[in-house]
Amino acid sequence: MQVSGVIFDCDGTLLDTMGAWRRAERTLAARAGASLDARDVDILTTLTVPEAGAFFNEKYGVGTCAEEVADMIQDLVVGHYALSVEARLGALEFVRALASLGIKMGVASSSPNHLLEIGLGHAGLREFFSIVASTDDVGASKREPAVYDYARAFLGTPKEETWVFEDAAYALRTLRGAGYRTIGIHDRDDSGTFDELAELSDFAIRGYADLDIVEFVAGRYARREVAACSPCAAARPIMESVRTL
């Protein structure tokens, strides 16, 4: 099935920003005299900024409320987005090539809108996207497919012709359950190892150079039947982990 629309995750997929988020999380934990363990990182990877604020407030006593801590997190990363953020190697060229072929494109991210606009603008990517959507826009994390559905509805492309690029294993699990075609792009193992991405996506890559754009647009990277299971069921184990903190 030929590709008519593409939705990109932002952090770790289009922009080299995940290091800034991990540093911000370690900084907040250090303020409480704590350090994050692997389980903490696994959980934080799946959370929106408001949820992360609640995590640090409730588990480590950072700040007076979740909203204050969410603001702290954004203050720690905004300088990176505004001053030094760079596109992933090959991302700008790949997106520009898709645009030249008439492919409709959007962004679906867990980051707040203002950071997305700042970062994509600084990296020279913003002009190529018809919509830049945040989980804040739909009031749901990527443990549910709402933000992808929201972006796709704006693009007006059929689901079977809309592909999503993601670096996070948990998000690819949501997408598979929701029936999207996906490219898993490896960034950091704490977001998802290459083997995990390969298992969860139609096709896994280590960088944009691994894709032949003509083959991609022709839909020839489809490798699996899309599932019909409920995405809410896929999200439930992660939600239960968060509630037990």
Side-chain angles (χ1 to χ4, degrees), residues 16-28:
D16 186 12
T17 49
M18 288 309 303
W21 287 100
R22 296 285 96 93
R23 286 192 296 273
E25 293 160 1
R26 291 195 298 270
T27 297
L28 287 182

Side-chain angles (χ1 to χ4, degrees), residues 58-114:
E58 294 168 14
K59 183 169 184 178
Y60 291 112
V62 178
T64 59
C65 63
E67 292 78 10
E68 180 185 7
V69 183
D71 288 341
M72 291 180 188
I73 296 171
Q74 294 177 71
D75 288 345
L76 287 168
V77 300
V78 67
H80 180 72
Y81 278 81
L83 301 175
S84 58
V85 70
E86 295 182 354
R88 278 197 61 156
L89 182 65
L92 180 58
E93 293 79 7
F94 186 78
V95 167
R96 184 183 288 124
L98 288 178
S100 72
L101 295 172
I103 304 299
K104 296 180 179 180
M105 290 180 286
V107 170
S109 173
S110 297
S111 293
N113 294 95
H114 71 285

